[in-house]
Amino acid sequence: MARTIAARTISAKPSPTKALAVKTRQANMANTAPIGAGWRDLEPSLAEVGRKYPAFPPMVLLKTDVQRRGVAYTPEALAHVNPAKHMTTIRSNYYDSAGAQPVSLTLRDGTSLYLEGFLEDGHREPYVVDHDGRRAFLTDRGEALEEVEYWEKPAFYDKFTRSGKPMWQIVSARPQRYTIHPKQFCDFWKFKGQGCKFCAMDANFRKNRKEPLLSVDDVVETVAEALKEPGASQSLFFTGGSLLGGKDPFGRGQGDPLGAELELYLGLLKALGQFFGNGKFPSQLISTAFDERGLRRLWEETGLMSYTADLEVLDEKLFGWICPGKAKLIGYRGWKERLVAAADIFGRGNVNTGLVGGVELAKPKGFATEDEALEATLSEAASLIKHGVWVVSCVWRVLGGSVFFGQKTPSLDYYARLSLGLDGLRRAANIPADLDNYRRCGNHPDTDLARV
Ligand code: SF4
C-alpha cells in the first residue's frame, strides 16, 4: 500500500547550543570541501525530490542520497566510535578497511545505509556525520537531518582461526547477514581490458595484498563462531571474483570455463551444510552466470536457496563496453538465458540479477539522458521479470581504482524513478523481494520499498 511522506520531523534533535556548535563545525568543513562548486544548483535537492515523489519513504530517499554522495565524519563523531563495540573493520570485494571510521550506519527506522567505505564522489559534498555528545546525526550544511547509529561489531570479529587469520577477514557481518568472499580476486583482470569498468576489485586486491582464495577450513571455523551470535544474521551470502578454469578461459567449447568457480562454491556450500543438517538453509550466491548443468548441481547438491548473477547494466551494447569480460565469456543474451534457467531451477522469486544503477549513463558510451536510460532499463527489466528473473539495483559509487573513477553519477531524481520503476515491475509480477530485501540485504533502495 502506498504511503505518503510524513512531514520531515526529527524526533531527537541536538540541543540548541550543541546544534549551533554542530552547525559551525559543518560550515567550516563545507568551506574547505574541494567539491565542484555550484553542484547543488544543477540538480534537484533531497527535499525537492521528496516533494515530487510523495509515496517514496523519506528514510529510503535519504539513504539513496547518502549512498550517492558519500559521508564524512567530524572529529567529534569519530571520537564516539568505540572499537570494542562498533564495527570499524571490513573486508569486501571493493574496499578493505581497518581504520577509525564506522563501517556503516543505520537510520532510526532500521534502514541500513551500507556505505562500504564510500566517502565521497568528488563531484558533490558528502553528508557529514556529527555527534552532539549523546547521539550521532547525519547532517548536511550544518542541519541535523536524522539520528544514526554506528553498526555494531559481532563478537567473532575479535577472534582468530586456527591458522591465525582474523575472523573479520574471513566473514563480513552486516545487520542482516554474513558475507563470504571466497575468491578475493577476479580473473577477468588477468586479461587486458576485460575487467568491469565500475569495479575496483583488482585495485583493492593489490592495495591490500590479499590472498586470491580463502581456505574452506577458515570459512567453516569462522561461520561456526558467527552462528553463535545471538539474534544475528538472517542468511549466509557468497560472492567473489570470477574464477576461470582451463588454459583458455575465453575459448568457448573447450570444456566449462567456469568449472573451477563452480567447484569452489559446491565445496564451500557442502562444507557449511553441516551447520544446517545438510538441508536447505537461508543463503544467496552471486556468481558468474553458470550454465544449466552447473545450476542444477548447486540446487541438488547443496543447501543453497537463492541465486544471482549480475548483468550490471540492462543493455546489450553497454554490457559489452562496461563488462567486456562477461560479454566475451558468456555474452549478454547467454547471461540472460542462464538467469532464466536458474529461475526454473531455484523457483520463482529466488533468482534475480543486480544492476550498478546509473552506470548506464557513464560517459562516453552510456545513454545521453536520464529519461532514455530509465526507459531502456525498465523495459529490459520487464522482459526478464516475465521469465521469473527479477531485477535489483544498487547506487553506483564511483570508486577509486575503477576505470570509471572520476565519472559523475546520476541525479537523486533518477535513482528515485529507477527504484519506483523496479519495485513496481516486481510487484506487478507478484514476485516477493525476500531474497534481497531490507531484512536479508539492506543495500538496495528499490527493495527497501518492499517494506511499504
Ligand atoms: S565480474 Fe566484473 S564486477 Fe565482478 S569482480 Fe570481476 S570485474 Fe569486478
Side-chain angles (χ1 to χ4, degrees):
M1 191 176 73
R3 187 177 89 179
T4 53
I5 279 185
R8 290 196 62 80
T9 55
I10 298 171
S11 63
K13 281 190 173 178
S15 69
T17 316
K18 284 176 174 167
L20 184 62
V22 167
K23 197 159 190 159
T24 306
R25 276 201 303 274
Q26 299 307 302
N28 289 342
M29 287 185 74
N31 286 342
T32 57
I35 305 293
W39 68 269
R40 289 179 194 266
D41 300 328
L42 300 175
E43 51 186 52
S45 67
L46 176 70
E48 286 165 340
V49 178
R51 282 195 290 275
K52 190 169 169 190
Y53 305 103
F56 206 105
M59 295 284 192
V60 180
L61 197 62
L62 176 61
K63 167 220 187 106
T64 309
D65 208 30
V66 175
Q67 290 190 327
R68 196 178 71 104
R69 286 172 48 187
V71 289
Y73 293 84
T74 63
E76 287 74 12
L78 292 179
H80 285 84
V81 177
N82 177 356
K85 180 181 174 199
H86 299 127
M87 200 189 298
T88 57
T89 56
I90 182 170
R91 176 153 279 201
S92 75
N93 280 345
Y94 299 160
Y95 178 79
D96 283 31
S97 174
Q101 293 183 348
V103 164
S104 195
L105 306 164
T106 303
L107 292 172
R108 67 185 157 96
D109 71 338
T111 297
S112 295
L113 293 180
Y114 190 58
L115 297 163
E116 203 176 286
F118 188 61
L119 304 182
E120 56 187 59
D121 79 346
H123 292 278
R124 309 166 176 109
E125 292 158 79
Y127 284 86
V128 175
V129 177
D130 206 341
H131 206 287
D132 73 352
R134 287 189 303 141
R135 286 163 295 195
F137 289 86
L138 203 54
T139 72
D140 191 27
R141 291 203 282 201
E143 183 189 356
L145 300 175
E146 277 297 341
E147 187 176 346
V148 286
E149 288 182 5
Y150 304 158
W151 280 9
E152 292 196 2
K153 180 177 72 170
F156 78 86
Y157 261 39
D158 289 332
K159 297 181 180 169
F160 291 80
T161 63
R162 278 192 296 270
S163 68
K165 302 261 172 29
M167 286 191 175
W168 68 266
Q169 293 185 2
I170 308 297
V171 175
S172 300
R174 63 169 86 165
Q176 296 85 352
R177 72 185 188 202
Y178 295 132
T179 298
I180 299 152
H181 298 106
K183 177 79 186 336
Q184 305 191 96
F185 175 72
C186 177
D187 284 354
F188 288 134
W189 292 99
K190 289 180 182 167
F191 303 91
K192 195 168 182 334
Q194 299 300 308
C196 299
K197 290 185 169 58
F198 55 82
C199 175
M201 190 181 216
D202 183 55
N204 188 41
F205 173 80
R206 289 175 200 289
K207 181 176 165 200
N208 293 294
R209 301 181 180 183
K210 301 201 279 191
E211 293 170 16
L213 288 169
L214 295 183
S215 109
V216 174
D217 287 347
D218 282 343
V219 173
V220 169
E221 221 182 309
T222 307
V223 169
E225 282 303 310
L227 292 175
K228 293 176 187 166
E229 300 284 332
S233 179
Q234 285 251 337
S235 73
L236 295 184
F237 171 81
F238 305 83
T239 191
S242 292
L243 174 55
L244 306 177
K247 285 184 182 162
D248 180 17
F250 289 119
R252 293 169 189 232
Q254 299 182 16
D256 181 358
L258 293 174
E261 185 170 331
L262 178 65
E263 292 302 332
L264 172 75
Y265 287 115
L266 285 170
L268 196 53
L269 285 157
K270 285 179 190 175
L272 294 172
Q274 63 181 289
F275 298 117
F276 306 96
N278 292 314
K280 290 286 174 196
F281 58 91
S283 49
Q284 180 186 5
L285 167 63
I286 301 183
S287 71
T288 318
F290 293 130
D291 64 12
E292 190 174 335
R293 194 177 55 97
L295 292 165
R296 281 203 187 284
R297 288 192 63 194
L298 279 169
W299 177 251
E300 288 166 7
E301 296 177 27
T302 77
L304 185 67
M305 288 183 71
S306 57
Y307 181 77
T308 301
D310 290 337
L311 271 163
E312 323 286 10
V313 58
L314 292 185
D315 178 87
E316 187 165 5
K317 263 196 195 156
L318 292 180
F319 183 73
W321 175 52
I322 296 171
C323 306
K326 292 184 179 192
K328 195 165 179 184
L329 183 71
I330 295 167
Y332 186 75
R333 292 174 200 194
W335 199 281
K336 283 171 67 175
E337 283 164 13
R338 290 174 181 216
L339 283 166
V340 172
D344 288 342
I345 294 165
F346 282 77
R348 192 175 171 79
N350 294 328
V351 174
N352 65 10
T353 188
L355 308 182
V356 181
V359 84
E360 55 277 6
L361 283 146
K363 304 260 183 278
K365 297 188 180 175
F367 290 104
T369 68
E370 293 187 353
D371 284 347
E372 281 174 64
L374 193 71
E375 193 186 331
T377 300
L378 294 181
S379 136
E380 269 291 89
S383 79
L384 278 162
I385 287 173
K386 252 198 273 175
H387 297 285
V389 178
W390 61 288
V391 178
V392 65
S393 175
C394 50
V395 173
W396 173 27
R397 297 166 225 175
V398 179
L399 299 166
S402 68
V403 174
F404 280 161
F405 182 60
Q407 296 247 359
K408 188 173 181 183
T409 54
S411 68
L412 179 61
D413 183 86
Y414 180 75
Y415 284 110
R417 286 194 288 161
L418 181 62
S419 292
L420 289 167
L422 292 177
D423 178 63
L425 287 170
R426 186 187 51 71
R427 284 175 194 252
N430 205 19
I431 293 181
D434 296 351
L435 140 68
D436 249 329
N437 68 7
Y438 72 100
R439 285 201 185 98
R440 285 274 177 88
C441 177
N443 185 18
H444 312 286
D446 55 294
T447 57
D448 282 349
L449 299 183
R451 289 177 76 172
V452 180

mmCIF file of all heavy atoms in Angstrom, residues 78-117:
data_model
loop_
_atom_site.group_PDB
_atom_site.id
_atom_site.type_symbol
_atom_site.label_atom_id
_atom_site.label_comp_id
_atom_site.label_asym_id
_atom_site.label_seq_id
_atom_site.Cartn_x
_atom_site.Cartn_y
_atom_site.Cartn_z
ATOM 1 N N LEU A 78 33.960 10.810 15.225
ATOM 2 C CA LEU A 78 34.964 9.731 15.319
ATOM 3 C C LEU A 78 35.353 9.463 16.771
ATOM 4 O O LEU A 78 35.635 8.321 17.135
ATOM 5 C CB LEU A 78 36.204 10.092 14.497
ATOM 6 C CG LEU A 78 35.991 10.132 12.986
ATOM 7 C CD1 LEU A 78 37.281 10.536 12.275
ATOM 8 C CD2 LEU A 78 35.504 8.784 12.454
ATOM 9 N N ALA A 79 35.321 10.522 17.582
ATOM 10 C CA ALA A 79 35.690 10.335 18.992
ATOM 11 C C ALA A 79 34.701 9.427 19.714
ATOM 12 O O ALA A 79 35.024 8.844 20.746
ATOM 13 C CB ALA A 79 35.764 11.686 19.689
ATOM 14 N N HIS A 80 33.495 9.310 19.176
ATOM 15 C CA HIS A 80 32.488 8.461 19.818
ATOM 16 C C HIS A 80 32.425 7.065 19.207
ATOM 17 O O HIS A 80 31.506 6.290 19.519
ATOM 18 C CB HIS A 80 31.117 9.142 19.767
ATOM 19 C CG HIS A 80 30.996 10.269 20.745
ATOM 20 N ND1 HIS A 80 31.453 11.541 20.475
ATOM 21 C CD2 HIS A 80 30.537 10.291 22.023
ATOM 22 C CE1 HIS A 80 31.247 12.313 21.527
ATOM 23 N NE2 HIS A 80 30.703 11.578 22.485
ATOM 24 N N VAL A 81 33.342 6.766 18.321
ATOM 25 C CA VAL A 81 33.429 5.385 17.819
ATOM 26 C C VAL A 81 34.184 4.575 18.867
ATOM 27 O O VAL A 81 35.282 4.943 19.276
ATOM 28 C CB VAL A 81 34.189 5.331 16.469
ATOM 29 C CG1 VAL A 81 34.341 3.886 16.002
ATOM 30 C CG2 VAL A 81 33.467 6.161 15.418
ATOM 31 N N ASN A 82 33.560 3.503 19.293
ATOM 32 C CA ASN A 82 34.182 2.630 20.283
ATOM 33 C C ASN A 82 34.578 1.320 19.601
ATOM 34 O O ASN A 82 33.712 0.498 19.289
ATOM 35 C CB ASN A 82 33.182 2.361 21.419
ATOM 36 C CG ASN A 82 33.736 1.395 22.446
ATOM 37 O OD1 ASN A 82 34.837 0.870 22.284
ATOM 38 N ND2 ASN A 82 32.970 1.150 23.498
ATOM 39 N N PRO A 83 35.867 1.116 19.346
ATOM 40 C CA PRO A 83 36.271 -0.074 18.572
ATOM 41 C C PRO A 83 35.909 -1.384 19.263
ATOM 42 O O PRO A 83 35.836 -2.421 18.603
ATOM 43 C CB PRO A 83 37.796 0.071 18.471
ATOM 44 C CG PRO A 83 38.100 1.481 18.834
ATOM 45 C CD PRO A 83 37.000 1.960 19.727
ATOM 46 N N ALA A 84 35.648 -1.321 20.573
ATOM 47 C CA ALA A 84 35.238 -2.562 21.245
ATOM 48 C C ALA A 84 33.784 -2.897 20.925
ATOM 49 O O ALA A 84 33.361 -4.050 21.011
ATOM 50 C CB ALA A 84 35.410 -2.412 22.756
ATOM 51 N N LYS A 85 33.035 -1.886 20.532
ATOM 52 C CA LYS A 85 31.599 -2.080 20.305
ATOM 53 C C LYS A 85 31.195 -1.928 18.838
ATOM 54 O O LYS A 85 30.315 -2.623 18.337
ATOM 55 C CB LYS A 85 30.843 -1.040 21.155
ATOM 56 C CG LYS A 85 29.360 -1.112 21.039
ATOM 57 C CD LYS A 85 28.706 -0.032 21.890
ATOM 58 C CE LYS A 85 27.209 -0.031 21.630
ATOM 59 N NZ LYS A 85 26.570 1.208 22.029
ATOM 60 N N HIS A 86 31.849 -0.990 18.161
ATOM 61 C CA HIS A 86 31.425 -0.669 16.791
ATOM 62 C C HIS A 86 32.310 -1.340 15.748
ATOM 63 O O HIS A 86 33.498 -1.559 15.969
ATOM 64 C CB HIS A 86 31.451 0.855 16.583
ATOM 65 C CG HIS A 86 30.535 1.592 17.501
ATOM 66 N ND1 HIS A 86 30.947 2.631 18.300
ATOM 67 C CD2 HIS A 86 29.220 1.421 17.768
ATOM 68 C CE1 HIS A 86 29.926 3.074 19.011
ATOM 69 N NE2 HIS A 86 28.869 2.353 18.710
ATOM 70 N N MET A 87 31.697 -1.598 14.606
ATOM 71 C CA MET A 87 32.434 -2.248 13.523
ATOM 72 C C MET A 87 33.269 -1.207 12.766
ATOM 73 O O MET A 87 32.719 -0.259 12.193
ATOM 74 C CB MET A 87 31.440 -2.912 12.570
ATOM 75 C CG MET A 87 32.036 -3.988 11.707
ATOM 76 S SD MET A 87 30.885 -4.544 10.430
ATOM 77 C CE MET A 87 29.558 -5.192 11.392
ATOM 78 N N THR A 88 34.566 -1.379 12.794
ATOM 79 C CA THR A 88 35.450 -0.450 12.071
ATOM 80 C C THR A 88 36.341 -1.183 11.074
ATOM 81 O O THR A 88 37.171 -0.562 10.417
ATOM 82 C CB THR A 88 36.359 0.324 13.055
ATOM 83 O OG1 THR A 88 37.105 -0.621 13.811
ATOM 84 C CG2 THR A 88 35.557 1.214 13.981
ATOM 85 N N THR A 89 36.165 -2.489 10.991
ATOM 86 C CA THR A 89 36.962 -3.240 10.024
ATOM 87 C C THR A 89 36.039 -3.907 9.020
ATOM 88 O O THR A 89 34.958 -4.379 9.373
ATOM 89 C CB THR A 89 37.805 -4.336 10.718
ATOM 90 O OG1 THR A 89 36.934 -5.173 11.473
ATOM 91 C CG2 THR A 89 38.854 -3.735 11.618
ATOM 92 N N ILE A 90 36.473 -3.940 7.795
ATOM 93 C CA ILE A 90 35.683 -4.600 6.753
ATOM 94 C C ILE A 90 36.620 -5.147 5.695
ATOM 95 O O ILE A 90 37.650 -4.538 5.375
ATOM 96 C CB ILE A 90 34.650 -3.638 6.121
ATOM 97 C CG1 ILE A 90 33.814 -4.400 5.076
ATOM 98 C CG2 ILE A 90 35.320 -2.437 5.484
ATOM 99 C CD1 ILE A 90 32.621 -3.624 4.562
ATOM 100 N N ARG A 91 36.264 -6.290 5.184
ATOM 101 C CA ARG A 91 36.972 -6.846 4.035
ATOM 102 C C ARG A 91 35.908 -7.192 3.005
ATOM 103 O O ARG A 91 35.032 -8.009 3.252
ATOM 104 C CB ARG A 91 37.741 -8.100 4.460
ATOM 105 C CG ARG A 91 38.427 -8.788 3.311
ATOM 106 C CD ARG A 91 39.631 -9.568 3.758
ATOM 107 N NE ARG A 91 40.764 -8.673 3.906
ATOM 108 C CZ ARG A 91 42.031 -9.086 3.890
ATOM 109 N NH1 ARG A 91 42.314 -10.366 3.749
ATOM 110 N NH2 ARG A 91 43.024 -8.227 4.006
ATOM 111 N N SER A 92 35.948 -6.524 1.868
ATOM 112 C CA SER A 92 34.924 -6.788 0.855
ATOM 113 C C SER A 92 35.580 -6.816 -0.515
ATOM 114 O O SER A 92 36.790 -6.669 -0.635
ATOM 115 C CB SER A 92 33.833 -5.715 0.912
ATOM 116 O OG SER A 92 34.305 -4.521 0.344
ATOM 117 N N ASN A 93 34.749 -6.985 -1.530
ATOM 118 C CA ASN A 93 35.300 -7.045 -2.888
ATOM 119 C C ASN A 93 36.037 -5.755 -3.248
ATOM 120 O O ASN A 93 37.119 -5.767 -3.811
ATOM 121 C CB ASN A 93 34.169 -7.232 -3.907
ATOM 122 C CG ASN A 93 33.717 -8.677 -3.992
ATOM 123 O OD1 ASN A 93 34.400 -9.567 -3.513
ATOM 124 N ND2 ASN A 93 32.572 -8.900 -4.611
ATOM 125 N N TYR A 94 35.404 -4.624 -2.911
ATOM 126 C CA TYR A 94 35.885 -3.348 -3.436
ATOM 127 C C TYR A 94 36.629 -2.505 -2.412
ATOM 128 O O TYR A 94 37.234 -1.496 -2.757
ATOM 129 C CB TYR A 94 34.707 -2.505 -3.956
ATOM 130 C CG TYR A 94 33.941 -3.129 -5.081
ATOM 131 C CD1 TYR A 94 32.661 -2.713 -5.382
ATOM 132 C CD2 TYR A 94 34.494 -4.133 -5.871
ATOM 133 C CE1 TYR A 94 31.945 -3.267 -6.422
ATOM 134 C CE2 TYR A 94 33.788 -4.693 -6.910
ATOM 135 C CZ TYR A 94 32.517 -4.265 -7.185
ATOM 136 O OH TYR A 94 31.822 -4.811 -8.210
ATOM 137 N N TYR A 95 36.514 -2.885 -1.164
ATOM 138 C CA TYR A 95 37.024 -1.972 -0.141
ATOM 139 C C TYR A 95 37.407 -2.758 1.104
ATOM 140 O O TYR A 95 36.630 -3.568 1.590
ATOM 141 C CB TYR A 95 35.939 -0.947 0.199
ATOM 142 C CG TYR A 95 36.330 0.031 1.275
ATOM 143 C CD1 TYR A 95 37.141 1.119 0.981
ATOM 144 C CD2 TYR A 95 35.899 -0.138 2.582
ATOM 145 C CE1 TYR A 95 37.499 2.029 1.972
ATOM 146 C CE2 TYR A 95 36.262 0.761 3.573
ATOM 147 C CZ TYR A 95 37.053 1.839 3.262
ATOM 148 O OH TYR A 95 37.419 2.726 4.229
ATOM 149 N N ASP A 96 38.613 -2.533 1.596
ATOM 150 C CA ASP A 96 39.051 -3.109 2.867
ATOM 151 C C ASP A 96 39.416 -1.954 3.781
ATOM 152 O O ASP A 96 40.002 -0.971 3.347
ATOM 153 C CB ASP A 96 40.313 -3.955 2.685
ATOM 154 C CG ASP A 96 40.017 -5.310 2.080
ATOM 155 O OD1 ASP A 96 39.057 -5.408 1.304
ATOM 156 O OD2 ASP A 96 40.759 -6.258 2.378
ATOM 157 N N SER A 97 39.088 -2.088 5.043
ATOM 158 C CA SER A 97 39.482 -1.043 5.974
ATOM 159 C C SER A 97 39.669 -1.618 7.365
ATOM 160 O O SER A 97 38.953 -2.520 7.769
ATOM 161 C CB SER A 97 38.416 0.051 6.021
ATOM 162 O OG SER A 97 38.753 0.989 7.021
ATOM 163 N N ALA A 98 40.626 -1.097 8.046
ATOM 164 C CA ALA A 98 40.789 -1.408 9.460
ATOM 165 C C ALA A 98 41.064 -0.088 10.157
ATOM 166 O O ALA A 98 41.991 0.056 10.926
ATOM 167 C CB ALA A 98 41.920 -2.397 9.672
ATOM 168 N N GLY A 99 40.242 0.906 9.838
ATOM 169 C CA GLY A 99 40.513 2.266 10.293
ATOM 170 C C GLY A 99 39.682 2.672 11.484
ATOM 171 O O GLY A 99 39.204 1.843 12.253
ATOM 172 N N ALA A 100 39.508 3.994 11.627
ATOM 173 C CA ALA A 100 38.817 4.533 12.799
ATOM 174 C C ALA A 100 37.340 4.797 12.515
ATOM 175 O O ALA A 100 36.571 5.077 13.428
ATOM 176 C CB ALA A 100 39.489 5.840 13.206
ATOM 177 N N GLN A 101 36.933 4.721 11.251
ATOM 178 C CA GLN A 101 35.557 5.082 10.924
ATOM 179 C C GLN A 101 34.619 3.897 11.087
ATOM 180 O O GLN A 101 35.020 2.754 10.858
ATOM 181 C CB GLN A 101 35.483 5.533 9.467
ATOM 182 C CG GLN A 101 36.223 6.816 9.240
ATOM 183 C CD GLN A 101 36.086 7.301 7.826
ATOM 184 O OE1 GLN A 101 35.631 6.568 6.967
ATOM 185 N NE2 GLN A 101 36.478 8.519 7.590
ATOM 186 N N PRO A 102 33.360 4.173 11.398
ATOM 187 C CA PRO A 102 32.382 3.084 11.391
ATOM 188 C C PRO A 102 32.269 2.528 9.967
ATOM 189 O O PRO A 102 32.341 3.291 9.001
ATOM 190 C CB PRO A 102 31.076 3.759 11.799
ATOM 191 C CG PRO A 102 31.442 5.105 12.319
ATOM 192 C CD PRO A 102 32.756 5.476 11.714
ATOM 193 N N VAL A 103 32.070 1.238 9.867
ATOM 194 C CA VAL A 103 31.912 0.638 8.532
ATOM 195 C C VAL A 103 30.652 1.164 7.864
ATOM 196 O O VAL A 103 30.639 1.461 6.671
ATOM 197 C CB VAL A 103 31.870 -0.898 8.650
ATOM 198 C CG1 VAL A 103 31.317 -1.538 7.390
ATOM 199 C CG2 VAL A 103 33.269 -1.427 8.946
ATOM 200 N N SER A 104 29.575 1.293 8.654
ATOM 201 C CA SER A 104 28.359 1.848 8.082
ATOM 202 C C SER A 104 27.411 2.285 9.194
ATOM 203 O O SER A 104 27.746 2.204 10.374
ATOM 204 C CB SER A 104 27.694 0.873 7.126
ATOM 205 O OG SER A 104 26.738 1.557 6.341
ATOM 206 N N LEU A 105 26.235 2.727 8.764
ATOM 207 C CA LEU A 105 25.289 3.387 9.673
ATOM 208 C C LEU A 105 23.888 2.832 9.477
ATOM 209 O O LEU A 105 23.542 2.337 8.398
ATOM 210 C CB LEU A 105 25.261 4.894 9.350
ATOM 211 C CG LEU A 105 26.606 5.618 9.355
ATOM 212 C CD1 LEU A 105 26.487 6.966 8.657
ATOM 213 C CD2 LEU A 105 27.114 5.786 10.777
ATOM 214 N N THR A 106 23.085 2.971 10.538
ATOM 215 C CA THR A 106 21.669 2.590 10.455
ATOM 216 C C THR A 106 20.829 3.799 10.826
ATOM 217 O O THR A 106 21.140 4.504 11.796
ATOM 218 C CB THR A 106 21.370 1.439 11.440
ATOM 219 O OG1 THR A 106 22.237 0.351 11.138
ATOM 220 C CG2 THR A 106 19.930 0.957 11.315
ATOM 221 N N LEU A 107 19.768 4.037 10.053
ATOM 222 C CA LEU A 107 18.840 5.121 10.386
ATOM 223 C C LEU A 107 17.875 4.639 11.467
ATOM 224 O O LEU A 107 17.759 3.445 11.728
ATOM 225 C CB LEU A 107 18.069 5.550 9.132
ATOM 226 C CG LEU A 107 18.910 6.232 8.051
ATOM 227 C CD1 LEU A 107 18.083 6.431 6.789
ATOM 228 C CD2 LEU A 107 19.437 7.578 8.541
ATOM 229 N N ARG A 108 17.123 5.574 12.049
ATOM 230 C CA ARG A 108 16.331 5.213 13.236
ATOM 231 C C ARG A 108 15.158 4.301 12.919
ATOM 232 O O ARG A 108 14.556 3.731 13.817
ATOM 233 C CB ARG A 108 15.860 6.470 13.966
ATOM 234 C CG ARG A 108 14.862 7.315 13.206
ATOM 235 C CD ARG A 108 14.553 8.586 13.962
ATOM 236 N NE ARG A 108 14.059 9.597 13.069
ATOM 237 C CZ ARG A 108 12.760 9.830 12.877
ATOM 238 N NH1 ARG A 108 11.865 9.156 13.521
ATOM 239 N NH2 ARG A 108 12.392 10.769 12.016
ATOM 240 N N ASP A 109 14.764 4.160 11.643
ATOM 241 C CA ASP A 109 13.705 3.198 11.321
ATOM 242 C C ASP A 109 14.294 1.832 10.945
ATOM 243 O O ASP A 109 13.588 0.954 10.474
ATOM 244 C CB ASP A 109 12.830 3.708 10.166
ATOM 245 C CG ASP A 109 13.561 3.694 8.834
ATOM 246 O OD1 ASP A 109 14.815 3.700 8.838
ATOM 247 O OD2 ASP A 109 12.894 3.656 7.787
ATOM 248 N N GLY A 110 15.609 1.669 11.128
ATOM 249 C CA GLY A 110 16.246 0.388 10.816
ATOM 250 C C GLY A 110 16.802 0.328 9.398
ATOM 251 O O GLY A 110 17.415 -0.675 9.020
ATOM 252 N N THR A 111 16.611 1.362 8.596
ATOM 253 C CA THR A 111 17.155 1.369 7.235
ATOM 254 C C THR A 111 18.688 1.373 7.293
ATOM 255 O O THR A 111 19.295 2.200 7.968
ATOM 256 C CB THR A 111 16.677 2.624 6.465
ATOM 257 O OG1 THR A 111 15.259 2.564 6.343
ATOM 258 C CG2 THR A 111 17.296 2.707 5.079
ATOM 259 N N SER A 112 19.290 0.427 6.572
ATOM 260 C CA SER A 112 20.757 0.352 6.521
ATOM 261 C C SER A 112 21.277 1.281 5.436
ATOM 262 O O SER A 112 20.736 1.310 4.326
ATOM 263 C CB SER A 112 21.208 -1.068 6.152
ATOM 264 O OG SER A 112 20.846 -1.962 7.151
ATOM 265 N N LEU A 113 22.347 1.988 5.749
ATOM 266 C CA LEU A 113 22.925 2.853 4.711
ATOM 267 C C LEU A 113 23.918 2.086 3.850
ATOM 268 O O LEU A 113 24.111 2.392 2.691
ATOM 269 C CB LEU A 113 23.589 4.074 5.348
ATOM 270 C CG LEU A 113 22.590 5.022 6.024
ATOM 271 C CD1 LEU A 113 23.323 6.203 6.622
ATOM 272 C CD2 LEU A 113 21.560 5.527 5.032
ATOM 273 N N TYR A 114 24.563 1.099 4.399
ATOM 274 C CA TYR A 114 25.518 0.258 3.680
ATOM 275 C C TYR A 114 26.458 1.082 2.789
ATOM 276 O O TYR A 114 26.301 1.182 1.579
ATOM 277 C CB TYR A 114 24.795 -0.814 2.845
ATOM 278 C CG TYR A 114 25.777 -1.826 2.317
ATOM 279 C CD1 TYR A 114 26.585 -2.544 3.191
ATOM 280 C CD2 TYR A 114 25.942 -2.032 0.953
ATOM 281 C CE1 TYR A 114 27.528 -3.439 2.727
ATOM 282 C CE2 TYR A 114 26.876 -2.926 0.481
ATOM 283 C CZ TYR A 114 27.657 -3.620 1.373
ATOM 284 O OH TYR A 114 28.594 -4.490 0.915
ATOM 285 N N LEU A 115 27.451 1.676 3.411
ATOM 286 C CA LEU A 115 28.331 2.611 2.704
ATOM 287 C C LEU A 115 29.615 1.973 2.201
ATOM 288 O O LEU A 115 30.267 2.492 1.310
ATOM 289 C CB LEU A 115 28.659 3.787 3.632
ATOM 290 C CG LEU A 115 27.399 4.574 4.003
ATOM 291 C CD1 LEU A 115 27.637 5.449 5.215
ATOM 292 C CD2 LEU A 115 26.933 5.401 2.822
ATOM 293 N N GLU A 116 29.972 0.853 2.784
ATOM 294 C CA GLU A 116 31.181 0.136 2.364
ATOM 295 C C GLU A 116 32.333 1.092 2.068
ATOM 296 O O GLU A 116 32.936 1.092 1.002
ATOM 297 C CB GLU A 116 30.895 -0.724 1.130
ATOM 298 C CG GLU A 116 31.882 -1.872 0.996
ATOM 299 C CD GLU A 116 31.543 -2.776 -0.177
ATOM 300 O OE1 GLU A 116 30.588 -3.547 -0.084
ATOM 301 O OE2 GLU A 116 32.245 -2.715 -1.192
ATOM 302 N N GLY A 117 32.579 1.952 3.040
ATOM 303 C CA GLY A 117 33.736 2.832 2.917
ATOM 304 C C GLY A 117 33.579 3.936 1.899
ATOM 305 O O GLY A 117 34.555 4.598 1.549
#
